[in-house]
Amino acid sequence: MDKSGKKIRVLVAKPGLDGHDRGARVVARALRDAGFEVIYTGLHQTPEQVAETALQEDVDVVGLSILSGAHMTLVPRIKKLLQDNGMNEVMMIVGGIIPEDDAEKLVSEGYAEQIFTPGDPLDKITGYISNNFK
Amino acid sequence: MQQLVAELLKGNRRAAARMISHVENDDPLKRMLLTELYPHTGKAYVIGVTGAPGSGKSSLVDCLLQQMRRDGLKIGVIAVDPTSPFSGGAILGDRIRMQDHALDHDIFIRSMGTRGSLGGLSRSTREAIQVLDAFGKDIILIETVGVGQSEVDIVKAADTTVVVLTPAGGDSVQTIKAGIMEIADLFVVNKADLPGAERTTTEINIMLDMKKGDHWRPPVVQTVSVQNKGLDQLWELLQEHRNYMNESGKLETVRLERVKRELTDQVEYLLKNSVWEQVKEEVKLEKLVEEIANRKNDPYSAASELLEKISFFDQKTGKDD
């Protein structure tokens, strides 16, 4: 919950052609246990579907799980669609197999706030979100 | 705030989404927003879909959306999933089945956590219905949490209630138990390709035929949502029930009852708030609690004494919050 006692809503989305959602589900479960309301989209979402879902669900955070290697295309695209929808303030975090160079670029160019990669403990993710809404 | 209402009435989807968040979070603006919206509500027809966890409610809603869109209707969906009583968190996963409709701008889907409510709906479902109603949706589909036998709040919110069952859900005694089996305007036996579908259907039918005198005898439909089977029939019967509700005048009765309940709820809410605010100002509650715990006082006389000290309604409370 944030400081006003409002529940934080997190969209966990799997954009693109990537059929593995074990990781996304583990993260979704951890977020649930940390007290967040998690909306999960399921597999194979287009960037448009992700952005529209974020809008209808009025989420505070969008978490993308991408294991396909298409992150440099998908993340900027979704960020742009969110902005087009007037959702500039939404926190964007990304998890997946993302090389360090790409991760730095996504953050420095403002497409994502934080990138999580294999080996990052779950409470690093939940803690990152909670700290940002304090 | 005025702008948010105006944007919503113009059909701005973001405004609708924000508005639902405001009501769900008990925002200080909530009462004012709902007051503004109220004149624009009362047009949508509300259909509730309820049933056990995993019985196929979300998939059925997905199929129904397809049917309704074919008729050009605009639809709002409220899909409720349970909030954890331990962490307060929730996994809202109903819309996974409905994502094919995510880009259809005439469909608006919102997931809600129960947030402590126990009757199968979320705490703010009724208010969210009003938002989507004012937003201009023709039909509002409510999907309850996966229910057991007695979570029947949906009847208070829906004009038509659909109960979804699956084959092999117990013997025929289950069909005559009170609770969920009594609230259906329409029964769906989903996953009807599984063994036992005929038997389940027959048992429900027998139960229904034992009861006489009602003008509407709930039909029982078999569906297989993954094969899109039985959905035409389900949609036809839903429309038939709606016609029945209209023509028999029952819709009006049901809606009057609903408004009456809303009014009583609001009175109770305001009264409760106003009373507690004053009580907190007047007395040290902890001290009183201690006295009662030590048996120097008792909860019954303490409550009466408390209420004697205060005036019952403070105009201010009603307007300011």
Side-chain angles (χ1 to χ4, degrees), chain A residues 42-64:
Chain A
L43 296 165
H44 308 312
Q45 300 294 299
T46 64
E48 286 77 8
Q49 282 176 311
V50 175
E52 182 62 28
T53 304
L55 175 128
Q56 292 182 5
E57 298 288 353
D58 193 26
V59 294
D60 308 287
V61 182
V62 173
L64 301 175

Side-chain angles (χ1 to χ4, degrees), chain A residues 6-7 9 28-29 32-33 35-42 45-46 48-49 52-53 55-58 85-87 89, chain B residues 13-14 17-18 21 24-25 83 87-93 95-96 99-100 102-103 105 107-111 113 115:
Chain A
K6 164 186 166 319
K7 280 241 160 74
R9 288 166 68 86
R29 167 78 195 272
R32 182 201 87 180
D33 290 341
F36 300 109
E37 269 184 5
V38 184
I39 295 102
Y40 180 48
T41 60
Q45 300 294 299
T46 64
E48 286 77 8
Q49 282 176 311
E52 182 62 28
T53 304
L55 175 128
Q56 292 182 5
E57 298 288 353
D58 193 26
N85 281 341
M87 298 183 80
E89 74 287 14
Chain B
R13 304 195 308 291
R14 174 124 170 94
R18 304 277 336 174
S21 298
E24 203 180 17
N25 292 324
T83 296
S87 72
I91 301 269
L92 311 178
R95 68 179 295 144
I96 297 175
Q99 278 301 78
D100 280 351
L103 295 180
H105 286 180
I107 294 180
F108 188 100
I109 305 170
R110 181 61 174 248
S111 318
R115 299 196 183 179

